[in-house]
Amino acid sequence: MTAKHLLRVALAALAIHAGGPAAAHADAAHPASTAAPAATETPAGKAANAAKAGPRDAASYFTELELLTQDGRRVRFHSDVLKGRTVLINVVYATCQDACPLITQKLNEVRQHLPAELFGKQVFFVSLTSDPTHDTPQALKAFARKQGADVEGWTFLTGRKENVEHILKKLGQYSETVEGHSTLLIAGNVPAKRWSKIRPDAPPAAIAERLSVLATGAGLDAARP
């Protein structure tokens, strides 16, 4: 990797990490107003720390609770969704008319920027519902299809309310209301225990670059802010 490319990766990472996450779903359509102070220790950081001792501890932290995909397939959250992968995680709900479709479309742009050998093979997208009471697999399937996101390598997840809420709490993405969920994106190389928080208003190319860096490890040290 050339010095010029390393510098570009570093600048992209700085742009992604700057400011802090968009904290509320309602603010996502107004990126200029979403900046918030970064937490001392992010939920993603806690997750990575909890996983450091090995796969068994990672499974314990992220849980093996059962969820349902948009195709109605039963999966265990750690073993079937996260294990051995680099993931980009976000929260949506199927009846959303503003932020969720916008962010899903943004992630579609990110997908198009990713190399073909990464998406669906090393890098996977995971969209968890904040409304498991109403978001059946069929509802999430319809949402994903409408947004052009019902593709191999992108999993939409629902399930029993208590299971979904427990996992959202583990990820630091739980809210008391369906509409109040965070629009923060969480990216992580699960086996390498490397995690990033990403603002939803970051450029798609920069998000894709960060995912590529996380997945391959190329230029990782140079990309840190």
Side-chain angles (χ1 to χ4, degrees), residues 78-139:
H78 174 258
S79 293
D80 298 326
V81 179
L82 301 182
K83 187 177 179 181
R85 296 175 168 181
T86 294
V87 293
L88 182 64
I89 303 172
N90 77 311
V91 182
V92 299
Y93 63 99
T95 56
C96 178
Q97 298 297 315
D98 42 65
C100 300
L102 287 174
I103 293 173
T104 303
Q105 292 164 23
K106 167 71 75 70
L107 296 186
N108 250 328
E109 294 182 54
V110 173
R111 179 167 64 90
Q112 292 165 11
H113 280 281
L114 284 167
E117 65 270 17
L118 288 184
F119 186 78
K121 300 175 180 67
Q122 289 180 259
V123 176
F124 296 81
F125 290 178
V126 180
S127 295
L128 281 156
T129 181
S130 63
D131 188 16
T133 301
H134 299 99
D135 279 355
T136 61
Q138 293 82 2

Side-chain angles (χ1 to χ4, degrees), residues 48-197:
N49 288 335
K52 280 181 180 177
R56 181 172 298 175
D57 290 322
S60 176
Y61 182 84
F62 289 114
T63 82
E64 294 288 18
L65 289 174
E66 185 179 89
L67 298 173
L68 292 170
T69 72
Q70 72 265 39
D71 295 310
R73 185 166 59 91
R74 297 179 184 276
V75 293
R76 296 167 296 170
F77 187 58
H78 174 258
S79 293
D80 298 326
V81 179
L82 301 182
K83 187 177 179 181
R85 296 175 168 181
T86 294
V87 293
L88 182 64
I89 303 172
N90 77 311
V91 182
V92 299
Y93 63 99
T95 56
C96 178
Q97 298 297 315
D98 42 65
C100 300
L102 287 174
I103 293 173
T104 303
Q105 292 164 23
K106 167 71 75 70
L107 296 186
N108 250 328
E109 294 182 54
V110 173
R111 179 167 64 90
Q112 292 165 11
H113 280 281
L114 284 167
E117 65 270 17
L118 288 184
F119 186 78
K121 300 175 180 67
Q122 289 180 259
V123 176
F124 296 81
F125 290 178
V126 180
S127 295
L128 281 156
T129 181
S130 63
D131 188 16
T133 301
H134 299 99
D135 279 355
T136 61
Q138 293 82 2
L140 288 179
K141 182 84 168 178
F143 175 85
R145 280 179 170 169
K146 185 175 181 179
Q147 303 305 322
D150 186 28
V151 297
E152 190 73 26
W154 195 334
T155 303
F156 287 76
L157 293 172
T158 186
R160 294 174 58 182
K161 187 172 187 287
E162 57 268 33
N163 288 0
V164 173
E165 289 183 351
H166 185 80
I167 289 170
L168 289 174
K169 287 174 183 177
K170 286 289 188 178
L171 294 169
Q173 299 290 72
Y174 174 76
S175 68
E176 293 292 336
T177 64
V178 170
E179 300 84 358
H181 71 78
S182 170
T183 57
L184 172 71
L185 308 176
I186 298 177
N189 181 322
V190 180
K193 309 172 188 70
R194 296 186 183 276
W195 294 86
S196 292
K197 59 181 182 180

